[in-house]
């Protein structure tokens, strides 16, 4: 009878275990190592060991038979908020990706909008490498008064070592998916804001780790934290890249 109860409880909890496994893989895929580690160790660790003795003491052998199913349910309780957080991150990442593509796409459609964009966003603000390299190429071409269109950008990418087998197709894709170049400044603002949020999150993590490990004196830690925040504020400046012709004259 105990074996039947154990099997039934495991069958009931099986969908829960599968759902937790999906959330765990999502965390791993999005780089949330902390969330992935938490869920990986919860089912037979942090959610299993603490309830093993109480359930055995209260329910005896039946408690031992059902403890794994109970641990699975507790693990689900941990997975739900992590899943919500990851869903928000995926949604935000999708919005940032569309903006990252729309910025160079707008410039390739109408290079005149570049004068509005360069004062808002820099190459380092792009999260995806391919978008960052394309914008870096355009950014450099603008600085040296070079003509900017899909052909010249691809040629410059070859010169800089950024050209890949799919670069031409991706350039054309950027122009196709960008609805209009009229909103280039707005797209650039989104990219800049997302970059600032990433920087703020990284600074917060660094400060938290520094405090937790007590690296240095409180005064030194405060000074280090202030420097990190100041560096972010410094990156918020509205400095615009000046055309080289303006600098010369």
């Amino acid at each position: 009878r105990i074996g039947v109860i154990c099997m039934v409880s495991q069958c009931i909890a099986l969908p829960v275990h599968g759902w937790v496994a999906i959330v765990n893989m999502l965390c791993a895929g999005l780089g949330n190592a902390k969330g992935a580690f938490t869920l990986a160790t919860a089912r037979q660790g942090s959610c299993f060991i603490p309830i093993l003795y109480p359930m055995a003491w209260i329910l005896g052998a039946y408690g031992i038979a059902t403890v794994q199913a109970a641990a699975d349910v507790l693990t689900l309780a941990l997975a739900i908020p992590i899943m919500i957080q990851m869903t928000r991150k995926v949604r935000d990442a999708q919005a940032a990706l569309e903006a990252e593509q729309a910025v160079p796409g707008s410039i390739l459609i109408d290079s005149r909008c570049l004068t509005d964009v360069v004062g808002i966003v820099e190459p380092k603000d792009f999260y995806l490498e391919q978008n960052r390299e394309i914008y870096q190429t355009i950014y450099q071409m603008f600085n040296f008064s070079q003509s900017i269109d899909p052909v010249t950008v691809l040629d410059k990418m070859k010169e800089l070592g950024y050209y890949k087998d799919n670069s031409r197709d991706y350039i054309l894709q950027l122009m196709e998916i960008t609805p209009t170049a009229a909103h280039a400044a707005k797209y650039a603002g989104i990219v800049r804001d997302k970059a600032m949020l990433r920087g703020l999150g990284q600074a917060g993590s660094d400060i938290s780790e520094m405090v937790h490990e007590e690296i240095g004196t409180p005064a030194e830690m405060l000074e280090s934290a202030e420097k990190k925040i100041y560096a972010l504020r410094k990156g918020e400046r509205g400095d615009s890249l000046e055309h080289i012709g303006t600098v010369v004259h």
Side-chain angles (χ1 to χ4, degrees), residues 23-248:
V23 177
N24 192 5
M25 289 187 290
L26 180 61
C27 289
L30 293 178
N32 186 354
K34 184 177 180 181
F37 178 79
T38 298
L39 295 179
T41 57
R43 185 173 181 264
Q44 294 181 328
S46 58
C47 289
F48 179 86
I49 296 174
I51 65 173
L52 177 59
Y53 179 76
M55 290 189 66
W57 184 68
I58 296 171
L59 300 175
Y62 296 109
I64 296 175
T66 56
V67 67
Q68 184 61 72
D72 288 344
V73 174
L74 291 177
T75 304
L76 174 64
L78 284 176
I80 290 175
I82 293 176
M83 180 62 180
I84 294 174
Q85 181 186 23
M86 289 295 97
T87 302
R88 289 173 179 170
K89 181 177 289 189
V90 170
R91 186 169 59 247
D92 291 345
Q94 182 64 28
L97 173 61
E98 292 173 353
E100 280 200 7
Q101 292 176 322
V103 170
S106 297
I107 298 169
L108 291 167
I109 292 173
D110 185 357
S111 62
R112 292 173 297 179
C113 69
L114 182 56
T115 55
D116 299 325
V117 171
V118 293
I120 300 174
V121 66
E122 299 179 15
K124 64 182 178 62
D125 294 329
F126 286 76
Y127 182 72
L128 293 182
E129 181 182 24
Q130 192 166 19
N131 296 330
R132 183 168 59 249
E133 290 177 347
I134 293 173
Y135 187 72
Q136 173 68 58
T137 302
I138 294 172
Y139 198 81
Q140 183 169 333
M141 292 175 69
F142 172 81
N143 194 31
F144 287 95
S145 304
Q146 297 176 339
S147 176
I148 297 172
D149 59 54
V151 176
T152 58
V153 168
L154 285 170
D155 187 63
K156 188 67 175 180
M157 288 178 67
K158 293 178 181 178
E159 179 184 329
L160 297 174
Y162 294 153
Y163 188 87
K164 299 177 178 63
D165 292 339
N166 67 334
S167 292
R168 181 180 179 278
D169 292 338
Y170 190 64
I171 288 287
L172 295 176
Q173 179 186 347
L174 293 179
M175 298 175 67
E176 290 176 0
I177 64 178
T178 301
T180 175
H183 299 152
K186 185 176 181 179
Y187 304 145
I190 295 174
V191 175
R192 177 202 58 199
D193 290 346
K194 293 298 181 181
M196 290 178 61
L197 287 175
R198 289 196 303 272
L200 184 60
Q202 183 60 52
S205 298
D206 292 343
I207 293 171
S208 178
E209 182 179 355
M210 177 177 59
V211 173
H212 179 72
E213 297 181 1
E214 297 185 8
I215 302 175
T217 66
E220 290 172 341
M221 288 188 284
L222 179 59
E223 182 180 359
S224 177
E226 289 175 344
K227 287 180 178 179
K228 290 180 182 295
I229 300 302
Y230 176 73
L232 288 175
R233 292 182 62 84
K234 196 175 180 182
E236 191 182 356
R237 295 175 306 172
D239 296 354
S240 175
L241 179 67
E242 291 188 69
H243 207 288
I244 194 170
T246 305
V247 177
V248 173

